[in-house]
């Protein structure tokens, strides 16, 4: 999951255009009646162009706050669209960047411009802000300034320090309940999935196609479980483990991100000629931890302490295209004591913003509501200490990020089993070394979705692998969105793509530009986010 901070033909049914839709059936196993917006009028699309996407349009749609009470209070969902232009119309393609808490409005333009032009022209590519997020209303911001620097060091040096941090997390949960107690029972994945069907009906479509990244894969799988007959095509990229929602998933991330941090250190060592930090990966990693100890004692630029440093380097675990920029900042501080370089990297990747505060508020609201978390703090402490001993990079940081769930003011739900044998062929895309959604999760989803096809980027470790430069993966995505065809293999995966090579070192200025805007990978990962 991003944090605010896998040849048969599918049924080739053409999706209806913008017509009045028939009421959707009740969600399987829920007894929920169809929402009255089943007969919704056409959406009022207005132009909202950006420099990169001059054809972008925007609209809003209302959804029930409580889908079991469709005539009650509503929330507003913000939508974006790049409309189709071809005579062949394959219907809406909903796109989601994950989170939970990620804004999806910019995803429509990115996906439409990244797919082959002929294919993109056949779809209405639809982005959306899920309930509580971004331009959807009401939008959550539980505790403005919660991540303002400098936070307490994530690794507690004493019982009193741990108690202070524990109180801080508890205070976030309490404040969220006091501010949004009427909303929190309805900020969860099942409610968001039912919102997708409200969007479908408002679009007037009998079926929708869906492309979701990261947490968006779980959202898509839940939607498909609730409304399998409404799914035309389903692409899940960097797949959440459906059996580890959510506490166990975070424990798996701790080890996986530590492996990626070690890979970063090995890459810096390999390029000693550029960075001058030594040719031994273990020594480079030790230099990083010395840097961390330094900023704990004296935060760099008065902004970057231990937790902020971890936040700054965490994006490198999501996307290795950031490594040259992070390595430049690391070397500048480690060799020359250049605090400005660290501050610049922190402000690029980790500095708090209203959008980030909103994303974190929704992240906690969804994950804490979706499933039960340990209520005994001793469970959190013991698990964290055990994993930190072998994987120290971000284990305590991740614990505090999720710790409000130990005291969440709303009772948890039971996760919806996503196993499904009623779908057309589904495409799963996964890197074997992904840290945010480890590979085992894709295997679990592959087993859960009967008839799904798993395409693996072997040796790859980025989070979000399609539309970011790997022509092999994009070939499978294009074929599937064109006519529903998927590869069929006999092994663990149905098809295997070779990973892209790791990046090469770049001068500081070029590394910074590449990281934030100048490649398909960086554009995608800026939308997928990390610790927002």
């Amino acid at each position: 999951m991003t944090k605010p901070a896998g040849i048969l033909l599918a049924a080739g049914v053409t999706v209806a255009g913008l017509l009045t839709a028939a009421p959707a059936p009740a969600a399987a196993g829920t007894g929920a009646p169809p929402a009255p917006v089943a007969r919704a009028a056409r959406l009022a699309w207005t132009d909202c162009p950006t420099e990169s996407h001059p054809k972008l349009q925007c609209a809003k749609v209302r959804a029930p706050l409580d889908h079991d009470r469709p005539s009650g209070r509503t929330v507003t969902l913000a939508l974006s669209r790049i409309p189709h232009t071809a005579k062949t119309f394959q219907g809406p393609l909903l796109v989601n960047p994950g989170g939970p808490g990620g804004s999806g409005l910019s995803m429509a333009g990115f996906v439409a411009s990244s797919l082959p032009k002929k294919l993109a022209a056949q779809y209405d590519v639809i982005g959306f802000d899920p309930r509580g997020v971004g331009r959807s209303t009401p939008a959550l911001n539980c505790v403005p300034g919660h991540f303002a620097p400098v936070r307490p060091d994530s690794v507690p040096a004493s019982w009193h320090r741990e108690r202070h941090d524990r109180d801080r997390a508890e205070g976030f949960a309490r404040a969220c309940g006091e501010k949004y107690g009427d909303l929190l029972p309805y900020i969860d994945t099942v409610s968001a999935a039912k919102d997708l069907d409200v969007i479908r009906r408002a679009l007037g479509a009998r079926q929708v196609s869906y492309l979701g990244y990261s947490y968006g894969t779980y959202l898509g799988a839940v939607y498909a479980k609730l409304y399998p007959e409404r799914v035309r095509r389903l692409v899940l990229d960097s797949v959440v483990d459906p059996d580890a929602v959510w506490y166990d998933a975070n424990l798996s991330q701790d080890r996986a991100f530590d492996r990626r941090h070690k890979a970063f250190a090995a890459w810096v060592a390999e390029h000693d000629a550029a960075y001058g930090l030594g040719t031994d990966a273990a020594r480079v990693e030790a230099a990083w931890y010395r840097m961390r100890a330094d900023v704990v004692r004296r935060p760099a630029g008065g902004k970057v302490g231990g937790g902020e440093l971890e936040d700054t380097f965490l994006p490198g675990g999501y996307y290795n295209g950031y490594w040259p920029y992070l390595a430049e900042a690391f070397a500048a501080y480690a060799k020359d004591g250049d605090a400005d370089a660290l501050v610049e990297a922190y402000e690029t990747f980790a500095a708090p913003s209203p959008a980030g505060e909103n994303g974190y508020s929704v992240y906690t609201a969804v994950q804490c509501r979706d499933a039960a978390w340990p209520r005994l703090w001793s469970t959190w402490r013991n698990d964290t200490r055990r994993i930190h001993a072998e994987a120290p990079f971000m284990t305590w940081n991740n614990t505090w990020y999720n710790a409000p769930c130990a005291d969440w003011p709303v009772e948890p739900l039971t996760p919806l089993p996503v196993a499904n044998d009623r779908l057309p062929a589904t495409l799963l895309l996964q890197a074997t070394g992904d840290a945010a959604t480890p590979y085992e999760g894709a295997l679990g989803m592959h087993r859960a979705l009967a008839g799904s096809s798993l395409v693996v980027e072997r040796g790859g470790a980025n989070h979000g692998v399609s539309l970011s430069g790997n022509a092999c993966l994009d070939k499978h995505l294009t074929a599937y969105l064109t006519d529903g065809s998927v590869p069929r293999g006999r092994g663990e995966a149905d098809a295997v793509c070779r990973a892209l090579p790791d990046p090469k070192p770049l001068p500081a200025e070029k590394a910074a530009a590449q990281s934030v805007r100048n490649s398909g990978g960086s554009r995608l990962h800026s939308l997928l986010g990390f610790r927002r």
Side-chain angles (χ1 to χ4, degrees), residues 214-225:
S214 190
Y215 164 78
T217 66
Y218 183 62
L219 177 61
V222 170
Y223 177 76
K225 181 67 175 181

Side-chain angles (χ1 to χ4, degrees), residues 94 99 140-141 174-175 200 215 221 289 328 332-333 347 358 402 429 436 448 499:
L94 275 62
L140 276 59
N141 188 344
R174 182 173 58 255
R200 177 194 63 78
Y215 164 78
Y289 282 103
E328 287 286 346
Y333 185 90
E347 291 178 343
N358 167 241
N402 292 279
L429 304 168

Side-chain angles (χ1 to χ4, degrees), residues 193-481:
K194 292 179 179 180
D195 288 345
L196 296 188
D197 211 54
V198 171
I199 294 171
R200 177 194 63 78
R201 295 194 297 270
L203 292 169
R206 189 166 65 85
Q207 292 181 309
V208 294
S209 299
Y210 179 91
L211 166 59
Y213 292 87
S214 190
Y215 164 78
T217 66
Y218 183 62
L219 177 61
V222 170
Y223 177 76
K225 181 67 175 181
L226 294 173
Y227 308 101
E229 72 283 357
R230 302 302 186 190
V231 176
R232 184 169 186 262
R233 292 182 185 140
L234 181 68
V235 185
L236 308 182
D237 184 325
S238 303
V239 186
V240 164
D241 187 341
D243 298 319
V245 178
W246 292 115
Y247 182 75
D248 289 341
N250 280 278
L251 297 181
S252 297
Q253 284 183 333
D254 295 341
R255 294 187 176 91
F257 274 109
D258 196 80
R259 290 194 294 270
R260 290 307 292 156
H261 191 58
K262 284 178 167 59
F264 167 69
W267 181 85
V268 173
E270 179 184 349
H271 297 289
D272 180 57
Y275 302 116
L277 292 171
T279 59
D280 181 81
R283 291 190 175 186
V284 171
E285 187 181 17
W288 190 90
Y289 282 103
R290 286 196 299 272
M291 174 174 66
R292 188 190 185 287
D294 286 345
V295 300
V296 169
R297 289 189 296 267
R298 185 174 65 180
K303 289 185 176 180
V304 184
E308 288 77 21
L309 187 74
E310 291 161 347
D311 291 351
T312 300
F313 281 77
L314 184 63
Y318 285 89
Y319 175 53
N320 63 4
Y322 297 141
W323 285 1
Y325 184 27
L326 293 171
E328 287 286 346
F330 175 19
Y333 185 90
K335 294 194 301 182
D336 303 322
D338 184 353
D340 290 342
L342 282 188
V343 170
E344 180 181 323
Y346 165 73
E347 291 178 343
T348 298
F349 290 126
S353 67
E357 292 173 346
N358 167 241
Y360 178 62
S361 296
V362 176
Y363 172 92
T364 52
V366 171
Q367 293 219 341
C368 300
R369 175 65 167 156
D370 267 1
W373 293 69
R375 287 288 180 170
L376 290 176
W377 183 249
S378 59
T379 301
W380 294 69
R381 178 195 297 117
N382 293 339
D383 286 339
T384 303
R385 287 178 175 175
R386 173 173 50 83
I387 297 173
H388 176 82
E390 60 183 85
F393 169 55
M394 56 83 74
T395 297
W396 271 106
N397 190 312
N398 202 26
T399 292
W400 296 125
Y401 199 82
N402 292 279
C405 292
D407 299 283
W408 201 244
V410 180
E411 288 298 309
L413 301 170
T414 299
L416 182 73
V418 301
N420 205 327
D421 60 2
R422 299 177 59 194
L423 296 174
T426 297
L427 182 64
L428 313 182
L429 304 168
Q430 181 73 32
T432 55
D434 185 350
T437 52
Y439 180 61
E440 293 73 20
L443 297 179
M445 189 70 81
H446 188 27
R447 290 189 295 267
L449 302 184
S452 62
S453 178
L454 174 61
V455 177
V456 168
E457 186 184 47
R458 181 167 293 160
N462 288 335
H463 180 64
V465 292
S466 64
L467 304 182
S468 59
N470 190 315
C472 174
L473 292 166
D474 290 350
K475 177 189 71 174
H476 289 291
L477 175 64
T478 297
Y480 179 68
L481 290 179

